[in-house]
């Protein structure tokens, strides 16, 4: 009787042990799979960096540092320099940010302080939907609707106004092509606006209500509360959002490719066609013949990668800081 | 007394001016959205016909449709999602469940955020060096891989965020009745976070279905019907790019119609995704 019971218990223990072992094994497998996937994310970024370096090695070893300082881009004589695309990328992104930041902050103030409550969510969603529209849509709209509009109305008007004023006249020198650096900057501004707006709105929401209320309590106007309390409190977060928008603008490809004009030269006029790093790669990569040409384009990609990596890292660092403060 | 009053008035005036500027800014933002959507619908609808969905992309100056481009876009998006989603979900699971406090998670989160906003044309270059150059030709597989690399960071991010929202008491309850960790994750955490994870996947689909830059030199383009994954394949965004920049009127019209199709798809997906999370917040 006892012997039978003992046998039953020991077999129960055995199946129990086997089950626990099986559980431990599957758990280990699952854990390993998740860990491997997490590491794969690192491997992808590492792979991107390595492939860009090896792909651009030929161009970089031939041209060396002068690749960064040469304006020439001549596929026939195989003489390549990155200065014109870098110039175009930096100028268009900078103008886009200068336009988009005040408007973005304005919309965020509107949404957090002024907007009637029932409209808040729909408008917030509408602005965020702008962020979801693929860049090629902005490109086709820019090429067929926005550029002709600029060409026929805005640009001749500006050229006339600034005609004869030193400095400004060369900045806005004709002929009005419609496409060019300024058009690209405006399209980029529209594209980064939703990013800046939604991040600014999010960080505005982290301001403790008691801070704002005490400012209102001593008689501050809405603008004074925004200017003296909300913006100083969220400065780091806003900067993070601006940097994120900048990273976006620097790497934006399709919208710019449509309206930049793809001309490898540096001109003082914002109305002149130019090129950016991403537009050059998009336009020329599939047509590039010869190792050196392809390699030079990959080298452009490497430069863009390094620039955006630095900008995005700064952005994330700043947003992390405001996150930890909001959590504390 | 009068100085105090005038100061008060000037502060009031400044406030009104600045607030008016904010309203104008919001107006500009909304007007721009309306302008873009309006132009898109106006120009796109003009070319909508059954032929768009039943005929191949035409040679220059001929009428035709976008069937092969739509098919190619769907095929590459589906493969990109099938490849990218499991990796993204698993990586997000590691970060939220197994390694919530590990050093690896901090590093992966940082790198993932950078991948999330890295220029997509860089991903195209990477896949070109990784697959196209060794294989010697452009292919739909390369395009799908490029898209899956764009899917991963989106899914990682939302999966981690959503799993972090699952209350620990639920996990502890699962563990207390003797369920091993992975069963707790699968049957408790995943189930609680399901709508959030699905939202992430929908957002990823929305993102890659409009992506052009990474496909330009991976999948290239194809004038004809092709279901061969080892050959260049047409896609809607690349076709729009090519057709819009052409001088032919039929091609430009097809580009507008294609742009309308993509925008409606993307907006539809974003709205569905939003309503999924919206319901969560209400609960």
């Amino acid at each position: 009787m006892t012997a039978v019971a003992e046998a039953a218990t020991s077999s129960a223990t055995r199946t129990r042990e086997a089950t626990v072992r099986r559980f431990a094994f599957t758990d280990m497998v699952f854990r390993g799979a998740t860990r491997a996937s997490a590491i794969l994310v690192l491997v992808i970024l590492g792979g991107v960096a390595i492939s860009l370096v090896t792909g651009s090695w030929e161009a970089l070893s031939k041209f060396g540092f002068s690749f960064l300082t040469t304006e020439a881009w001549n596929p026939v004589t195989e003489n390549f320099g990155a200065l014109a695309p870098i110039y175009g990328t930096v100028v268009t992104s900078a103008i886009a940010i200068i336009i988009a930041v005040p408007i973005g902050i304005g919309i965020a103030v509107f949404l957090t302080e002024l907007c009637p409550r029932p409209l808040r969510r729909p408008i917030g969603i509408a602005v965020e939907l702008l962020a979801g529209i693929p860049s090629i849509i902005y490109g086709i709209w820019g090429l067929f609707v926005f550029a002709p509009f600029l060409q026929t109305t805005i640009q001749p008007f500006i050229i006339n106004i600034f005609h004869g004023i030193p400095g400004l006249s060369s900045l806005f020198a004709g002929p009005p092509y419609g496409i060019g650096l300024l058009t690209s900057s405006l399209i980029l501004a529209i594209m980064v606006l939703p990013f800046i707006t939604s991040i600014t709105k999010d960080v505005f929401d982290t301001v403790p209500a008691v801070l704002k209320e005490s400012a209102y309590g001593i008689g501050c106007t809405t603008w004074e509360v925004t200017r003296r309390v909300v913006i100083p409190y969220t400065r780091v977060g806003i900067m993070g959002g601006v940097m994120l928008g900048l990273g976006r603008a620097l790497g934006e490809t399709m919208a710019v490719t449509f309206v930049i004009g793809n001309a490898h030269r540096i001109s003082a006029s914002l109305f002149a066609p130019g090129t950016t790093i991403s537009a050059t790669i998009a336009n020329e990569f599939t047509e590039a013949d010869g190792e050196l040409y392809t390699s030079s384009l990959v080298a452009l990609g490497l430069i863009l990668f390094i620039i955006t990596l630095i900008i995005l890292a700064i952005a994330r660092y700043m947003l992390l800081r405001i996150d930890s403060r909001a959590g504390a | 007394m009068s100085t105090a009053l005038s100061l008060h008035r000037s502060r009031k005036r400044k406030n009104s001016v600045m607030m008016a500027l904010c309203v104008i800014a919001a107006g500009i933002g909304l007007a721009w959205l309306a302008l873009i959507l309006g132009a898109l619908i106006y120009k796109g609808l003009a070319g909508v016909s059954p032929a768009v969905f039943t005929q191949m992309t035409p040679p220059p100056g001929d009428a035709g449709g976008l069937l092969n481009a739509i098919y190619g876009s769907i095929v590459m998006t589906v493969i990109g999602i099938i490849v990218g989603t499991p990796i993204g979900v698993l990586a997000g699971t590691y970060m939220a469940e197994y390694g919530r406090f590990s050093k690896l998670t901090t590093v992966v989160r940082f790198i993932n955020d950078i991948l999330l906003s890295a220029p997509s044309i860089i991903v195209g270059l990477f896949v070109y060096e990784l697959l196209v150059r060794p294989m010697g030709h452009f292919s739909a597989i390369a395009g799908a891989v490029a898209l899956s690399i764009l899917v991963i960071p989106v899914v990682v991010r939302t999966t981690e965020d959503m799993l972090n929202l699952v209350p620990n008491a639920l996990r502890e309850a699962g563990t207390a009745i003797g369920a091993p960790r992975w069963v707790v994750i699968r049957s408790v955490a995943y189930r609680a976070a399901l709508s959030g994870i699905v939202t992430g996947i929908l957002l990823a689909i929305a993102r890659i279905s409009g992506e052009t830059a990474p496909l330009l030199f991976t999948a290239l383009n194809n004038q004809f019907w092709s279901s061969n994954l080892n050959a260049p394949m047409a896609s809607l965004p690349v076709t729009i790019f090519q057709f819009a920049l052409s001088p032919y009127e039929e091609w430009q019209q097809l580009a507008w119609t294609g742009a309308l199709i993509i925008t409606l798809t993307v907006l539809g997906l974003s709205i569905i995704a939003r309503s999924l999370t919206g319901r969560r917040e209400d609960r």
Side-chain angles (χ1 to χ4, degrees):
Chain A
M1 182 75 181
T2 35
V4 173
E6 252 170 35
T9 350
S10 81
S11 93
T13 325
R14 236 177 295 129
T15 48
R16 198 187 161 84
E17 268 173 10
T19 313
V20 168
R21 253 201 308 277
R22 209 180 60 234
F23 276 174
F25 178 72
T26 35
D27 199 42
M28 200 187 72
V29 170
F30 189 65
R31 188 196 159 97
T34 61
R35 199 181 149 88
S37 302
I39 291 171
L40 187 67
V41 174
L42 302 184
V43 171
I44 289 175
L45 194 79
V48 171
I50 292 170
S51 72
L52 287 180
V53 171
T54 53
S56 60
W57 192 251
E58 193 172 332
L60 291 181
S61 55
K62 177 153 195 295
F63 300 118
F65 188 72
S66 71
F67 185 71
L68 290 177
T69 54
T70 314
E71 192 187 335
W73 185 270
N74 193 336
V76 181
T77 59
E78 299 219 305
N79 184 22
F80 300 106
L83 195 60
I86 292 177
Y87 170 81
T89 304
V90 171
V91 168
T92 51
S93 303
I95 298 176
I97 288 295
I98 291 171
I99 297 171
V101 166
I103 300 182
I105 293 180
I107 299 179
V109 172
F110 174 79
L111 284 176
T112 49
E113 306 288 338
L114 298 174
C115 186
R117 201 159 271 281
L119 283 179
R120 225 168 255 195
R121 220 173 119 76
I123 294 182
I125 289 175
V127 171
E128 277 178 35
L129 284 182
L130 264 174
I133 295 180
S135 60
I136 190 160
I137 308 297
Y138 290 94
I140 191 171
W141 182 77
L143 179 67
F144 287 115
V145 180
F146 197 48
F149 170 72
L150 286 178
Q151 184 177 18
T152 50
T153 48
I154 304 287
Q155 288 186 351
F157 177 69
I158 295 181
I159 292 171
N160 278 335
I161 285 186
F162 293 120
H163 185 72
I165 304 173
L168 286 178
S169 66
S170 61
L171 199 57
F172 297 107
Y177 289 112
I179 55 174
L181 289 173
L182 187 70
T183 313
S184 310
S185 310
L186 290 171
I187 295 277
L188 281 177
I190 305 174
M191 291 199 62
V192 297
L193 184 61
F195 292 96
I196 295 176
T197 305
S198 66
I199 291 180
T200 311
K201 183 177 142 313
D202 286 350
V203 296
F204 276 5
D205 285 338
T206 66
V207 179
V210 65
L211 276 186
K212 288 199 279 185
E213 279 158 12
S214 48
Y216 280 122
I218 57 168
C220 289
T221 61
T222 313
W223 167 245
E224 284 161 353
V225 172
T226 307
R227 178 71 191 80
R228 307 279 170 205
V229 177
V230 175
I231 290 181
Y233 188 85
T234 54
R235 204 176 43 229
V236 183
I238 297 176
M239 282 306 293
V242 170
M243 288 299 211
L244 211 58
L246 183 59
R248 198 97 201 169
L250 288 168
E252 180 43 52
T253 309
M254 298 320 294
V256 174
T257 307
F258 273 96
V259 292
I260 188 91
N262 203 33
H264 278 277
R265 55 167 182 266
I266 298 174
S267 29
S269 171
L270 291 177
F271 288 165
T275 192
T276 66
I277 293 177
S278 48
T280 305
I281 300 173
N283 267 318
E284 300 180 20
F285 199 81
T286 45
E287 285 151 23
D289 42 3
E291 280 292 310
L292 193 62
Y293 194 177
T294 309
S295 178
S296 301
L297 287 168
V298 179
L300 280 181
L302 181 65
I303 294 169
L304 178 65
F305 182 64
I306 293 171
I307 297 175
T308 48
L309 204 65
I310 295 170
I311 299 285
L312 292 175
I314 296 173
R316 288 299 166 191
Y317 176 71
M318 287 177 152
L319 289 173
L320 272 184
R321 268 178 61 185
I322 195 132
D323 271 355
S324 59
R325 194 165 65 184
Chain B
M1 188 65 196
S2 72
T3 49
L5 265 180
S6 77
L7 180 66
H8 177 71
R9 252 200 304 274
S10 85
R11 281 173 57 204
K12 277 274 207 196
R13 210 177 308 125
K14 194 168 180 190
N15 185 48
S16 321
V17 170
M18 294 317 291
M19 290 305 124
L21 285 178
C22 289
V23 175
I24 292 171
I28 290 175
L30 287 176
W32 245 327
L33 180 66
L35 272 178
I36 293 175
L37 287 182
L40 200 59
I41 292 170
Y42 176 72
K43 300 234 180 185
L45 273 184
V48 172
S49 69
V52 171
F53 302 98
T54 54
Q55 292 183 17
M56 305 299 151
T57 47
D62 234 346
L66 293 165
L67 181 61
N68 51 338
I70 295 173
Y71 171 79
S73 268
I74 293 175
V75 166
M76 285 188 283
T77 305
V78 167
I79 300 178
I81 288 288
I82 291 176
V83 174
T85 306
I87 298 173
V89 169
L90 285 175
T93 307
Y94 178 81
M95 292 158 72
E97 300 284 341
Y98 286 111
R100 193 179 280 198
F101 305 104
S102 77
K103 194 116 197 136
L104 178 63
T105 298
T106 321
V107 177
V108 171
R109 190 180 297 135
F110 191 74
I111 297 295
N112 189 64
D113 279 349
I114 285 178
L115 270 182
L116 193 63
S117 10
S120 56
I121 196 160
I122 301 284
V123 173
L125 283 178
F126 167 55
V127 174
Y128 177 86
E129 296 286 336
L130 186 76
L131 289 177
V132 177
R133 196 191 276 267
M135 283 163 63
H137 57 88
F138 301 100
S139 69
I141 294 180
V145 169
L147 292 183
S148 73
I149 292 177
L150 294 170
V151 167
I152 292 172
V154 182
V155 176
V156 169
R157 180 71 188 268
T158 44
T159 305
E160 196 211 347
D161 286 352
M162 291 303 150
L163 285 177
N164 276 335
L165 288 179
V166 175
N168 262 333
L170 282 184
R171 295 195 186 90
E172 283 157 10
T175 311
I177 58 168
R181 192 81 185 265
W182 73 280
V183 174
V184 172
I185 294 172
R186 199 192 53 190
S187 324
V188 178
Y190 278 170
R191 208 169 282 184
L194 186 65
S195 71
I197 296 176
V198 171
T199 301
I201 298 171
L202 286 177
L203 287 177
I205 299 176
R207 169 154 188 215
I208 61 171
S209 53
E211 276 292 353
T212 318
L215 293 177
L216 283 175
F217 27 84
T218 51
L220 203 66
N221 200 352
N222 197 333
Q223 179 91 52
F224 307 102
W225 176 271
S226 162
S227 52
N228 182 1
L229 291 180
N230 205 19
M233 190 180 261
S235 65
L236 214 37
V238 177
T239 306
I240 294 173
F241 178 54
Q242 187 198 341
F243 280 14
L245 288 175
S246 77
Y248 311 107
E249 216 153 279
E250 291 86 355
W251 276 17
Q252 292 181 358
Q253 179 57 55
L254 278 176
W256 274 109
T257 309
L260 180 66
I261 296 174
I262 287 189
T263 309
L264 291 182
T265 312
V266 170
L267 287 184
L269 285 167
S270 321
I271 290 171
I272 295 173
R274 212 164 274 283
S275 67
L276 274 178
T277 42
R279 264 214 319 271
R280 262 184 85 84
E281 278 159 19
D282 292 341
R283 254 200 318 238

